[in-house]
Amino acid sequence: MNKTITANISGIVFYLEIGAYDKLNNYLSTIKKYLNDADSRDEIMADIESRIAELFKERFKNERSVVIMSDVDHIIAIMGEPEQYFDGEDAEETTSSKSADENSQKAKSKRIFRDEDDKVAGGVCSGIGHYFGIDRIWIRVIFLFAFFVWGVGFIPYIILWIVIPKAKTTAEKLEMKGEAVNVDNIKKTVEDKFNELKDSFNGEGAKNAANSLSNVLSKIFTFIGMVILFILKFFVKFIGVILLIIGISLLVALLATTFNSEVITVVSDNSIFQIKSYDIIHALIGTGTNSTLTLVALILVFGIPVIGIIYSAIKILFKLKTNNKAIGISLLSLWVVGVILSFYIAISTVTDFTNTQKSKTKIEWISKSNTIYLNSLVEEDDLQRDYKFPPVIGNLWIEDDKIYYDNLEVDVLQSKSNQIELIVEKIAQGKNRKVAKERAELIDFSYLLKDSILKISPFINFDLIEQLRGQEVKVHIMLPIGSKIVLEEGCENIIYDIKNVTNEYDWDMIGETWIMLENGLNCLDCKLLPSISSNDVDTVKTIIK
């Protein structure tokens, strides 16, 4: 039966056998003797005792409560003999064994704590950096990146701040860094901390803290600058790709225009179709010299900027560095020449619209009935023979050196005679009256007039060489008083603004019979529109008077 002694080690009560107590007491006294000249002796001894208490608790794990000799030997083996750290002559002999012990202890005791001694906010990043062996700056960079880019870095940081404990004791700080918790490391840690406190009283601590904070802030702002720079570089690259796509697309379109491809798309009321670029140039500008100059101007005015866009995109994407001013000046000069040519062509073209002339033709209409029927001439109509319809129906198209243009209007007016008549009014523009008159007379359109039926094509046509110069045809149906006209389904694409007594829209007039009276067109026996009945036709003149 062995006697035991009660001992208070770092605030924790332990029961030790007398032999174990004596050995532990001698061990601590020896360490204290070696630390006699150290300013921080008491702090070092307190941390050593705290570590010994932790090791005893870990060893017992509630299985027993009395410290025996083997327990003390185990503690001394972990903490190390005092002579191993304090005797200079033995240092070289024990270096290799000491390193091996530290490495094994480091692998077993490394734990994650918050480092309050090296913190910006809560010491989370420093603690994680110690645990994973990563520079704390990069951990901070990750959190900042997550916060500024995804907006999620703040909440995880707060959670980790709450969950991860703070490294309070010297042993915990050594475990946090993965260092062996022995007498030597405890001594070094406490002395370093003591020296930091001493420096702070001398003013050096504040300076070092300021420098540390300055370095941290510098690194943070450097990282933010790097992130912004990365985003800007990515944006610039993205712009380069977009410019390259746009430049190549424009270049293809320009080349296609130059080589007479069908790249010019016309959107009409009822279809979308394409016209050859040369045809459009000939229709707007003309043939010969003007046509050639137009192509040259197109290439210079649009081609040079397009090449510039492609070149800029390539420089952005591949970081090319060139500074040849001669090429730039030459291209700019050519572009200016193109602009001058464009102005010349534009002025030359505009002068061809300065005069407007009309050509009127009267067509007598012999009909056995006083009721006529108006409709649109279509390809399926068996009565027409010579009119060629285009492969697609649109507002404008060019085929076989002819321009087909949907610019014909039909209206109904009161005739001053007793005969139904057609008055065709052709309109065109030119640089002088003579040219405009000749151009108007050359306009053609197709119609079918047979007894009481009138069918008119909505398209006028003329030779491509006459160019698009405001050509237009207006067909006036002169209707005597008492005569009637039926606006059949299908004529809505040729009638325009037909005046009537009740001011009905053209669309509403379709499918009804209209009679011409002295006060204008009246709807006859209409069901949905204001009208007069057939019985009142004979007396309507008297009523109006």
Side-chain angles (χ1 to χ4, degrees):
M1 182 178 294
N2 296 325
K3 291 183 179 181
T4 60
I5 296 176
T6 303
N8 186 327
I9 305 176
S10 188
I12 301 174
V13 176
F14 293 95
Y15 298 98
L16 294 87
E17 287 185 352
I18 291 178
Y21 172 81
D22 290 339
K23 187 168 186 176
L24 181 61
N25 188 45
N26 290 334
Y27 176 75
L28 293 174
S29 297
T30 303
I31 294 174
K32 194 171 185 179
K33 184 178 69 173
Y34 277 111
L35 295 173
N36 241 354
D37 298 330
D39 295 332
S40 56
R41 184 187 67 177
D42 293 339
E43 288 82 359
I44 295 172
M45 291 304 302
D47 284 329
I48 292 173
E49 289 184 8
S50 176
R51 178 57 179 164
I52 291 172
E54 288 178 7
L55 291 174
F56 278 146
K57 288 177 66 178
E58 290 176 5
R59 187 168 176 80
F60 293 158
K61 295 181 180 178
N62 298 324
E63 293 179 1
R64 56 189 173 86
S65 58
V66 178
V67 178
I68 60 178
M69 185 66 72
S70 61
D71 296 328
V72 175
D73 292 336
H74 175 74
I75 297 302
I76 294 174
I78 292 175
M79 299 294 290
E81 293 288 350
E83 295 83 359
Q84 185 178 354
Y85 305 108
F86 301 115
D87 287 349
E89 61 274 11
D90 299 331
E92 293 181 1
E93 299 176 5
T94 58
T95 299
S96 58
S97 61
K98 175 182 172 182
S99 300
D101 291 342
E102 286 185 357
N103 290 335
S104 62
Q105 182 69 12
K106 179 176 179 178
K108 289 189 288 184
S109 62
K110 194 171 186 180
R111 294 168 60 190
I112 187 167
F113 291 97
R114 287 186 290 110
D115 189 358
E116 289 280 316
D117 297 331
D118 184 17
K119 67 177 183 178
V120 174
V124 173
C125 296
S126 295
I128 294 174
H130 288 310
Y131 187 77
F132 291 104
I134 302 171
D135 193 330
R136 60 193 179 281
I137 292 299
W138 294 111
I139 306 297
R140 289 166 182 161
V141 162
I142 292 170
F143 275 101
L144 284 171
F145 187 83
F147 177 74
F148 285 108
V149 176
W150 297 305
V152 295
F154 180 73
I155 294 176
Y157 187 90
I158 296 299
I159 293 173
L160 292 174
W161 193 343
I162 296 170
V163 172
I164 299 175
K166 178 176 70 172
K168 298 178 181 178
T169 66
T170 303
E172 287 176 346
K173 293 176 182 178
L174 289 171
E175 286 180 324
M176 175 183 68
K177 298 176 181 178
E179 298 178 4
V181 185
N182 52 36
V183 175
D184 184 42
N185 286 335
I186 290 174
K187 174 177 174 291
K188 288 179 181 177
T189 302
V190 174
E191 285 182 344
D192 290 342
K193 188 67 178 177
F194 184 79
N195 290 332
E196 287 179 11
L197 290 173
K198 188 189 292 185
D199 290 340
S200 67
F201 286 114
N202 296 331
E204 295 294 327
K207 187 185 296 183
N208 292 335
N211 292 335
S212 176
L213 180 60
S214 175
N215 290 334
V216 170
L217 291 176
S218 174
K219 290 179 180 179
I220 290 173
F221 284 113
T222 300
F223 168 72
I224 294 173
M226 290 170 61
V227 171
I228 294 172
L229 185 62
F230 172 78
I231 293 172
L232 288 175
K233 286 183 177 179
F234 176 80
F235 182 73
V236 169
K237 295 286 185 183
F238 178 76
I239 293 296
V241 172
I242 296 298
L243 287 176
L244 187 62
I245 293 172
I246 293 173
I248 292 174
S249 301
L250 291 174
L251 184 61
V252 170
L254 185 61
L255 291 174
T257 302
T258 305
F259 291 104
N260 198 25
S261 298
E262 293 185 352
V263 294
I264 299 180
T265 300
V266 177
V267 181
S268 70
D269 295 334
N270 54 2
S271 65
I272 300 176
F273 56 97
Q274 293 179 323
I275 301 176
K276 290 185 177 181
S277 55
Y278 279 11
D279 287 342
I280 287 292
I281 292 173
H282 293 162
L284 295 175
I285 309 299
T287 58
T289 306
N290 278 357
S291 176
T292 305
L293 290 177
T294 301
L295 287 174
V296 173
L298 281 173
I299 293 171
L300 294 178
V301 172
F302 295 101
I304 291 175
V306 166
I307 292 172
I309 290 172
I310 295 174
Y311 180 65
S312 299
I314 292 173
K315 284 181 67 177
I316 291 171
L317 292 175
F318 300 102
K319 297 181 179 179
L320 298 179
K321 294 182 179 180
T322 57
N323 190 21
N324 195 327
K325 294 182 179 180
I327 295 176
I329 293 172
S330 300
L331 290 175
L332 179 61
S333 302
L334 289 173
W335 184 80
V336 171
V337 171
V339 171
I340 294 171
L341 280 176
S342 300
F343 275 108
Y344 167 76
I345 294 165
I347 294 170
S348 174
T349 303
V350 168
T351 56
D352 214 12
F353 288 86
T354 52
N355 286 275
T356 303
Q357 287 295 307
K358 299 178 182 179
S359 173
K360 288 187 178 182
T361 306
K362 183 184 291 187
I363 302 174
E364 290 191 3
W365 188 345
I366 300 174
S367 175
K368 298 177 181 179
S369 173
N370 70 336
T371 301
I372 61 174
Y373 298 85
L374 177 64
N375 208 333
S376 179
L377 186 67
V378 294
E379 187 176 12
E380 292 78 14
D381 199 330
D382 292 334
L383 296 177
Q384 62 88 21
R385 302 293 184 195
D386 300 327
Y387 184 68
K388 181 180 179 182
F389 280 80
V392 291
I393 303 300
N395 294 100
L396 171 75
W397 74 96
I398 300 169
E399 185 180 355
D400 297 334
D401 292 330
K402 273 190 174 294
I403 297 176
Y404 298 89
Y405 190 18
D406 178 10
N407 200 17
L408 182 142
E409 300 173 359
V410 178
D411 65 355
V412 181
L413 302 175
Q414 189 180 96
S415 176
K416 296 180 180 179
S417 67
N418 295 325
Q419 184 67 39
I420 300 175
E421 296 175 334
L422 288 181
I423 296 178
V424 178
E425 188 177 358
K426 300 177 181 179
I427 306 169
Q429 294 174 317
K431 61 182 178 181
N432 54 54
R433 297 178 63 185
K434 180 182 177 182
V435 172
K437 183 77 171 178
E438 291 174 351
R439 191 171 275 152
E441 291 173 348
L442 292 172
I443 299 172
D444 194 13
F445 72 100
S446 295
Y447 68 95
L448 174 67
L449 180 58
K450 186 176 181 181
D451 195 18
S452 61
I453 298 173
L454 174 62
K455 292 190 174 184
I456 303 175
S457 168
F459 304 102
I460 63 174
N461 64 88
F462 44 90
D463 291 335
L464 180 60
I465 197 172
E466 297 300 326
Q467 307 167 45
L468 281 169
R469 292 298 182 264
Q471 286 89 341
E472 181 183 4
V473 172
K474 294 182 179 181
V475 178
H476 307 290
I477 300 175
M478 310 304 294
L479 203 61
I481 294 175
S483 296
K484 292 173 283 187
I485 183 170
V486 179
L487 303 177
E488 296 184 322
E489 298 286 345
C491 70
E492 59 272 4
N493 58 342
I494 58 173
I495 63 174
Y496 179 76
D497 196 22
I498 297 179
K499 300 293 188 292
N500 58 88
V501 173
T502 53
N503 291 321
E504 304 297 337
Y505 290 109
D506 292 340
W507 188 267
D508 295 328
M509 299 175 70
I510 302 296
E512 302 292 352
T513 301
W514 295 81
I515 185 170
M516 180 63 73
L517 299 176
E518 286 190 2
N519 64 338
L521 275 180
N522 289 263
C523 193
L524 184 63
D525 297 326
C526 296
K527 295 179 180 179
L528 300 177
L529 300 176
S531 63
I532 61 173
S533 65
S534 300
N535 297 330
D536 295 332
V537 171
D538 295 334
T539 59
V540 72
K541 293 181 181 180
T542 306
I543 294 172
I544 294 172
K545 291 178 180 180

